[in-house]
């Protein structure tokens, strides 16, 4: 059975994998080349991974660190709710959304080594794909009456 610390490390990895720009911003350079995948497939994959981890957390007794275990359970539940319901949608606003967040993160992310800079350049080359996914998501949700 996994310890709370091991389960939390796996959750943190899933969190950063789903938010690679944030990962780079905080210095986790493993994700520098990746960009947010806003596709339905990615959302479903992330939800499946969270459900699987939630089952493991529920099966663990958490006696090694009860407070962290409870917080981990809550964070996974909150992320899973967001992934499954899309309750938090990127607004269509000139100042808020994936388009402005990408620019803010790019301006604040440090490339401390040449490899980081090369990886970030590959990420930025994927921005058109990410924006196309965002547009497709907005259109799909709007067609279902879910507007920001």
């Amino acid at each position: 059975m996994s310890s709370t610390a091991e389960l939390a490390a796996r959750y943190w990895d899933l969190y950063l994998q789903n938010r690679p720009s944030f990962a780079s911003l905080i210095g986790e350079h493993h994700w520098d080349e990746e960009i947010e995948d806003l596709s339905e497939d990615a959302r479903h994959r992330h939800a499946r991974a969270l459900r699987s981890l939630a089952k493991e957390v529920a099966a663990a007794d958490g006696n090694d660190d009860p407070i962290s275990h409870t917080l981990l359970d809550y964070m996974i539940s909150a992320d899973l709710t967001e992934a499954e319901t899309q309750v938090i949608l990127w607004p269509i606003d000139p100042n808020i959304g994936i388009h402005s967040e990408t620019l803010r993160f790019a301006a604040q992310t440090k490339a401390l080594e040449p490899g980081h800079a090369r990886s970030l350049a590959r990420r930025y080359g994927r921005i058109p794909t990410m924006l196309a996914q965002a547009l497709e998501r907005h259109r799909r949700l709007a067609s279902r009456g879910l507007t920001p």
Side-chain angles (χ1 to χ4, degrees):
M1 186 166 297
S2 298
S3 70
T4 298
E6 292 166 337
L7 292 167
R10 289 182 35 218
Y11 167 73
W12 186 239
D13 191 55
L14 277 174
Y15 185 89
L16 296 179
Q17 180 181 7
N18 197 49
R19 297 164 181 86
S21 296
F22 174 74
S24 295
L25 181 67
I26 65 169
E28 293 285 345
H29 295 288
H30 174 74
W31 306 104
D32 283 352
E33 193 168 324
E34 303 302 321
I35 197 160
E36 283 67 14
D37 185 346
L38 304 180
S39 69
E40 278 293 285
D41 287 343
R43 185 173 67 86
H44 291 297
R45 278 192 310 274
H46 185 62
R48 276 193 304 274
L50 287 170
R51 278 192 295 277
S52 175
L53 186 57
K55 287 178 185 175
E56 289 185 59
V57 170
D61 61 26
N63 289 334
D64 58 332
D65 188 347
I67 293 173
S68 295
H69 188 267
T70 300
L71 289 171
L72 177 61
D73 183 55
Y74 171 80
M75 291 303 300
I76 293 170
S77 175
D79 279 2
L80 189 54
T81 297
E82 181 182 339
E84 290 179 338
T85 66
Q86 295 183 284
V87 67
I88 299 175
L89 301 175
W90 290 105
I92 298 176
D93 182 292
N95 299 309
I96 303 171
I98 193 69
H99 57 287
S100 61
E101 181 176 279
T102 300
L103 293 173
R104 278 194 314 278
F105 282 5
Q108 296 173 353
T109 299
K110 305 286 187 239
L112 302 176
E113 298 176 14
H116 298 164
R118 286 189 292 276
S119 292
L120 288 169
R122 286 189 287 276
R123 169 190 288 163
Y124 300 145
R126 295 185 178 118
I127 288 174
T129 300
M130 181 192 65
L131 293 176
Q133 290 173 336
L135 179 59
E136 189 279 325
R137 179 176 62 187
H138 282 301
R139 286 179 174 156
R140 184 183 68 255
L141 293 174
S143 74
R144 293 183 4 217
L146 299 172
T147 58

